[in-house]
Amino acid sequence: MLKYMLKRLLSMIPTFLLASILVFSFMHLMPGDPAGVMLGDSATPEQVQVLREAMGFDRPLYVQFLRWFGGMLQGDLGNSIFFHKPVLRVIRDRAEVSLFIACLSMALIVLIGIPIGMVSAIRYNSVADQTFSAASMLAASMPTFWLGLNLMLIFSVVLGWLPSSGFPSVVESGNLANLKYLVLPCVTLAAPNSALIIRLTRASMLDVLREGYVTTARAKGLSELGVTLKHVFRNSLITVISVVGFTFVGLASGTVVTETVFSLPGIGRLVVESVLRRDYPMIQGVILIVAVAYMLINLLIDYGYTFLDPRIRIT
Amino acid sequence: MRSFVQALIRRKIALAGALVLLVILALALFAPLIAPHDPMGLDPTVRLQGPTARHWFGTDHFGRDIFSRVVYGARLTMVCGLGVVLYSVCLGILIGMLSGYFRHVGFVAMRLIDVVMSFPPLLLALALLAILGAGLSNVILAVGVTYLTRTARIIFGLTLKIKEEAFVEATRSIGSSSLRILARHILPNLLSPVIVQATFTSAFSLLNMAALDFLGVGVPPQIPSWRNMISEGRVYITRAPGVLLFPGFFIVLTVLSFNLVGDVLRDKLDPRFRDQFSGVRR
């Protein structure tokens, strides 16, 4: 068990190294001189030269990479060109909203998606199943920003129930009521992603329901609820857990759009602003952090598998 | 083909999806004949109107006819969808087949694909657009990368399986070259999963491109597209909800139709690979 876990951890190293090289090359792939692009058309050649030397762009590529990589391992991702502050500090300042949105949406997705998926599978082909299937198909086909704008129009503008934009910090003010600013963003983000979980839970439970051991459990007189919870749900959990990984990708992409729609000061909006401002160190930093987070989540998911299904450890 | 049409007719909702796609294709092809007004024609006297007999879907903040802009917007949607599918599927097949057939190529290619897949698609596209700059072809390129890796992954797995089959062994034993085996024997067996993958790729790439346009890094705003109509009009949603509702409705309709048709295709062509497609979605 420990050997498997260690092996899996070590297998992350090459992926991480390649990902860092890829992220690093982003800055150097663009046409022209990075310093020139950062300063814009109005910069004088002297200004460009000063920035080149300050950023170390005049050194050979591998030296630049090693310096950047070494700094990164010590938690230094460089300085943002726009904010004139360390990239990591800017990300930390913006992390609160994004973390709240991610956790609350994930909770919504799991709480809505898994039960509905289970009901759909157990009541296969019933009216309920068909209604849920149609609804989840529709939710998966909606652009996030369109859904968000519509919810904003209905619940903020017409009904006036919820605030439409912004987010006063919960941590600084200690006021949990501020979370109401996140209701619409979280629903917007959860809707298309729950659709995915509903479909996957339903599909994996249907597969398990056809297994021989389920028939055996029924034949020995176990109640339907007992069969469902003890045999079917537990065995379909493997697929469902892997969905958490996909959902993370969905959330990371979704927050970029949702934070822009609802004008929230989070990491997603930071990426868009940095792209529009061409703040390359910032883009590099955020993307690398998101990729590392995704790798770590996948690692945890793989560990989760081994606890649920011992066969995976052996193979 | 005939059995696919039969399956479509049996699943009426999917048939509706296929018909919607045909209608949107017709809108795109015959836009100048269908649109009643010039999609760029400004008329400040009729700004932000609701639906009227003259302007069926109302007008936007410049007094442009929303219906005509929706009709012309179908062109860009089709071009983008087709562009991403063609580029990601063709390259995906090539990379996937070579990686599955030649073990060393496969080892290197799959590690690279792992890395690309560890970035969320929208963030990767944003980063690529920051380097490449905005523009239609760059958007197609940036969004397609994600689907390219996904197609390559699926094709890699299938090629690995197919190359062990007896008929491939037999062809090799009579001295066929690798190129011939790949082109004549492996490729035809990959076509059905590729068609299924292409339908879902169209659906999800449209959603991703819509998001990019909305964020202001996609297709330049002067080309009428459903996405930037929403993006430009969102300031006026309280005065004229039509600027938000109609273009958005068409995006949902298109993506939904691709999904519905994709589901039937998958069930019909490839029940064996069901899980692979229902899994990774965006």
Side-chain angles (χ1 to χ4, degrees), chain A residues 15 18-19 22-23 26 29-31 137-138 140-143 145-146 149-150 153 157 192-193 196 199-200 207 246 249-250 252-253 256-257 260-261 271-272 275-276 278 280 283 287 290-291 294-295, chain B residues 111-112 115-124 126-128 130-131 204 207 210-211 214-217 230 234 237-238 241 244-245 248-249 251-252 255-256 259-260 263 266 275 278-282:
Chain A
T15 318
L18 278 174
L22 193 70
V23 170
F26 275 159
L29 272 175
M30 62 188 169
M137 179 74 102
L138 188 67
S141 305
M142 260 185 225
F145 63 90
W146 190 69
L149 287 170
N150 275 314
L153 184 65
V157 179
N193 289 301
L196 174 66
R199 288 171 73 98
L200 271 178
D207 281 347
F246 302 145
V249 177
S253 297
V256 175
V257 178
T260 307
V261 172
V271 178
V272 181
V275 168
L276 294 174
R278 302 201 139 191
Y280 291 98
I283 307 175
I287 290 182
V290 174
Y294 182 45
M295 284 178 212
Chain B
R111 290 295 80 71
L112 285 175
V115 174
V116 175
M117 284 175 101
S118 65
F119 298 100
L122 197 61
L123 286 186
L124 185 67
L126 271 171
L128 286 175
I131 299 165
F204 290 102
L207 285 180
F214 176 77
L215 296 172
V217 289
I230 299 176
R234 70 179 156 139
I237 51 175
T238 46
L244 171 67
L245 292 178
F249 175 74
I251 298 179
V252 177
V255 176
L256 187 66
N259 277 333
L260 288 170
D263 266 8
R266 180 189 57 204
D275 293 341
S278 58
V280 189
R281 279 264 154 142
R282 53 183 69 221

Side-chain angles (χ1 to χ4, degrees), chain A residues 52-132:
Chain A
R52 277 178 65 89
E53 279 166 23
M55 307 279 291
F57 288 151
D58 48 349
R59 310 263 184 104
L61 259 188
Y62 71 91
V63 176
Q64 291 185 44
F65 175 74
L66 289 177
R67 269 179 56 178
W68 178 75
F69 191 75
M72 182 181 67
L73 290 181
Q74 294 166 34
D76 174 17
L77 286 169
N79 282 326
S80 155
I81 296 170
F82 180 80
F83 293 99
H84 301 291
K85 280 200 277 187
V87 167
L88 262 185
R89 199 189 308 157
V90 180
I91 294 177
R92 204 186 53 205
D93 292 346
R94 297 283 200 113
E96 184 190 343
V97 194
S98 302
L99 285 178
F100 266 122
I101 298 184
C103 295
L104 293 174
S105 311
M106 187 63 104
L108 260 182
I109 292 166
V110 171
L111 289 178
I112 297 173
I114 295 181
I116 292 185
M118 283 172 73
V119 170
S120 295
I122 295 166
R123 302 250 174 280
Y124 178 63
N125 241 347
S126 65
V127 178
D129 176 29
Q130 284 171 355
T131 316
F132 288 140

Side-chain angles (χ1 to χ4, degrees), chain B residues 52-222:
Chain B
T52 56
R54 196 174 140 69
H55 299 286
W56 298 345
F57 288 176
T59 53
D60 70 1
H61 54 293
F62 288 129
R64 293 176 296 195
D65 181 49
I66 294 182
F67 178 71
S68 305
R69 289 179 71 75
V70 165
V71 170
Y72 272 89
R75 290 191 154 179
L76 197 66
T77 304
M78 284 292 156
V79 169
C80 287
L82 209 68
V84 171
V85 166
L86 274 181
Y87 138 72
S88 68
V89 164
C90 290
L91 267 180
I93 293 181
L94 190 71
I95 297 173
M97 273 194 356
L98 292 178
S99 322
Y101 195 80
F102 301 105
R103 198 186 297 165
H104 298 294
V105 180
F107 181 78
V108 177
M110 287 305 123
R111 290 295 80 71
L112 285 175
I113 284 177
D114 274 348
V115 174
V116 175
M117 284 175 101
S118 65
F119 298 100
L122 197 61
L123 286 186
L124 185 67
L126 271 171
L128 286 175
L129 283 173
I131 299 165
L132 300 168
L136 184 59
S137 50
N138 288 348
V139 170
I140 292 177
L141 203 73
V143 170
V145 168
T146 308
Y147 300 98
L148 189 165
T149 50
R150 231 154 256 188
T151 312
R153 227 327 145 53
I154 292 170
I155 297 299
F156 168 74
L158 294 174
T159 309
L160 273 185
K161 257 185 220 164
I162 296 172
K163 81 168 183 190
E164 301 302 328
E165 302 261 350
F167 69 91
V168 176
E169 196 72 18
T171 331
R172 198 176 296 132
S173 66
I174 58 169
S176 295
S177 66
S178 295
L179 186 70
R180 192 183 161 83
I181 294 174
L182 279 170
R184 291 291 300 272
H185 301 281
I186 294 183
L187 185 63
N189 281 297
L190 294 171
L191 283 184
S192 3
V194 162
I195 293 171
V196 179
Q197 175 70 4
T199 335
F200 288 120
T201 299
S202 320
F204 290 102
S205 62
L206 284 181
L207 285 180
N208 270 336
M209 281 190 278
L212 288 175
D213 279 1
F214 176 77
L215 296 172
V217 289
V219 176
Q222 52 279 26

